[in-house]
Amino acid sequence: MPRPNRAAFNKRDSWLAVQFWRGSTVITSRIAARLEWQYGAEVSSVSSLLEEAEVRVFHEAAEEKIAAAVVILADGSVDELLGAIELMETDWRDLLIAADLAHADWSSRMDDIFGAN
């Protein structure tokens, strides 16, 4: 019996996980509002990239501050968004540090940037 193709298996599992989460809201309303403001017509594609990355890394929706950190670092640039997603995939803790969300006051920093929750 041939061995299963692990790469195909992982790709299929990732796709299934993303499809499972598509029906749920991964990005909070205040993050979505910021994405809409920064990316306009590209917001759907940008949101999908972010949601898919969260599922790949965490196998579920991540905490709001993870998505916030990506949005903060991206600052409206698709290239920077891809870099922030890559940082999240490499080490999400470094992502939080880079976005200044790794400290005890991260919640108030998010409120300052995205508005009160």
Side-chain angles (χ1 to χ4, degrees), residues 12 31 53 74-75 77 102 109 115:
R12 182 194 60 129
I31 302 292
D75 196 28
S77 164
R109 174 158 162 73

Side-chain angles (χ1 to χ4, degrees), residues 63-96:
E63 291 182 35
E64 182 187 31
K65 70 179 178 178
I66 299 291
V70 170
V71 173
I72 290 167
L73 291 180
D75 196 28
S77 164
V78 173
D79 289 336
E80 294 297 322
L81 176 88
L82 296 174
I85 287 173
E86 185 177 328
L87 182 57
M88 176 180 67
E89 291 172 336
T90 303
D91 190 335
W92 59 269
R93 294 163 295 214
D94 288 343
L95 173 74
L96 294 178

Side-chain angles (χ1 to χ4, degrees), residues 39-114:
Y39 294 97
E42 297 177 322
V43 71
S44 179
S45 297
V46 167
S47 296
S48 292
L49 283 172
L50 182 52
E51 289 173 339
E52 290 169 10
E54 284 186 4
V55 171
R56 274 195 314 274
V57 173
F58 301 102
H59 307 289
E60 62 184 3
E63 291 182 35
E64 182 187 31
K65 70 179 178 178
I66 299 291
V70 170
V71 173
I72 290 167
L73 291 180
D75 196 28
S77 164
V78 173
D79 289 336
E80 294 297 322
L81 176 88
L82 296 174
I85 287 173
E86 185 177 328
L87 182 57
M88 176 180 67
E89 291 172 336
T90 303
D91 190 335
W92 59 269
R93 294 163 295 214
D94 288 343
L95 173 74
L96 294 178
I97 291 167
D100 201 22
L101 294 177
H103 305 290
D105 67 341
W106 67 267
S107 179
S108 56
R109 174 158 162 73
M110 282 186 48
D111 289 347
D112 290 345
I113 295 170
F114 298 99

Side-chain angles (χ1 to χ4, degrees), residues 13-34:
D13 281 0
S14 176
W15 181 85
L16 289 172
V18 168
Q19 297 308 310
F20 172 76
W21 280 102
R22 283 230 188 263
S24 64
T25 302
V26 176
I27 298 174
T28 63
S29 59
R30 66 183 182 165
I31 302 292
R34 181 64 157 227

